Each structure stands twice: as C-alpha cells, then as structure tokens.
Amino acid sequence: MAWDEWEQLKSDAADKQSAQMRLNQLPADGGGGGGGTASNGDLVVHDDQLGKLGNLAYELRETFRVDSDIARPSTFTASIDLFNDGLDMGSALTELHDAWNSQTATLKDACAHISNHLDFSRAQHSKDEVHVQTAMSMSKINDYIK
C-alpha cells in the first residue's frame, strides 16, 4: 500500500467518524424529540399538555361517576315498587335503570382508558427518550466504527 493511499484512507475514516458524531446533536432546523415533546409533522404535543389532558379525563370520570349515581338507588326502588304494584311502567323503568347503568359504565371506562393511555404515552415517551440518549452515546458510536 502506498503512502498516499494510506493517508487517503485515514482521511476518509476521519470524515466518516465526524459525520457519525453529528448524531449526538440536534439538526440545524430545530427538529428532534428532546425536551418532553412528541412531534409528527404539524402535530406537536408537549409532555405537560398530555398530563393536563390525562388529569382532565380522570376528573371527568370521577365527577361523572358521582353525579351519574345520584338517582340510581331511587330509580331502582321506584321501578320495583311500580312493578310490585302491577304496573308495566315498573318493568320499563327497570329496563331504563339497567340501560343507564350500562351506558354510564361505558362512559366511565372510556374516560379511564383515555386517562390511562395518556399516562402510558407520557411514560413510554420518556423511556424512549432516555433509551435514545443513552443507547447512542459516543462510546457506542466509536464501538460501531471500530
């Protein structure tokens, strides 16, 4: 191998290494996912916004859970009394009571699902950020180059 060829290979390796080291910084256009922000095109969601939305969904569930249950016992009692008095309206009121319970349970589950999903998304995004930051450390890049 000629000396000029050796110098060219060293220069190429140095250029390659410096290009790969740029992985450890943000692009000039300000992109990247650091700082607790999830970004996809025009959609930008900040970690604190996800937390607030999750809290709102949880608060909605709890408020609805309490408020939707206020009339349940008296409705059920009335339906039984009407049914025992021989009125068909008692049976209809029991069906209404059961449908209401089913629909409120569905809505409460949906609110809980939204809240839990947002909490999970925040936690997963944080884990992904840590993984990306630690997995591609300078030593790892150097190991790949060698």
Side-chain angles (χ1 to χ4, degrees):
M1 174 183 301
W3 184 258
D4 293 333
E5 195 176 357
W6 171 249
E7 289 297 321
Q8 182 61 42
L9 288 173
K10 283 183 7 181
S11 175
D12 291 346
D15 290 343
K16 207 184 263 188
Q17 184 176 7
S18 67
Q20 289 177 348
M21 293 301 173
R22 288 186 200 129
L23 291 174
N24 221 15
Q25 68 187 45
L26 291 175
D29 65 356
T37 302
S39 177
N40 183 6
D42 292 335
L43 175 64
V44 175
V45 180
H46 299 279
D47 189 48
D48 60 337
Q49 290 174 333
L50 288 177
K52 288 177 185 174
L53 288 171
N55 288 340
L56 286 173
Y58 178 77
E59 289 171 11
L60 175 62
R61 181 197 183 280
E62 289 304 301
T63 301
F64 185 71
R65 180 185 63 80
V66 171
D67 292 347
S68 67
D69 202 42
I70 291 172
R72 185 191 53 78
S74 57
T75 302
F76 186 70
T77 301
S79 69
I80 297 300
D81 290 345
L82 290 169
F83 182 78
N84 288 341
D85 287 343
L87 298 170
D88 290 337
M89 187 177 190
S91 172
L93 194 54
T94 300
E95 286 182 36
L96 175 67
H97 171 269
D98 295 344
W100 176 257
N101 284 340
S102 174
Q103 295 299 315
T104 58
T106 300
L107 184 56
K108 289 185 289 189
D109 289 347
C111 289
H113 181 75
I114 291 168
S115 177
N116 291 341
H117 180 71
L118 290 171
D119 288 343
F120 173 81
S121 296
R122 289 177 66 202
Q124 188 62 44
H125 180 68
S126 294
K127 288 178 187 175
D128 291 346
E129 282 295 311
V130 168
H131 176 73
V132 166
Q133 291 171 1
T134 57
M136 296 306 288
S137 68
M138 296 295 280
S139 62
K140 285 259 189 195
I141 293 172
N142 288 334
D143 290 344
Y144 290 129
I145 292 172
K146 294 177 184 178

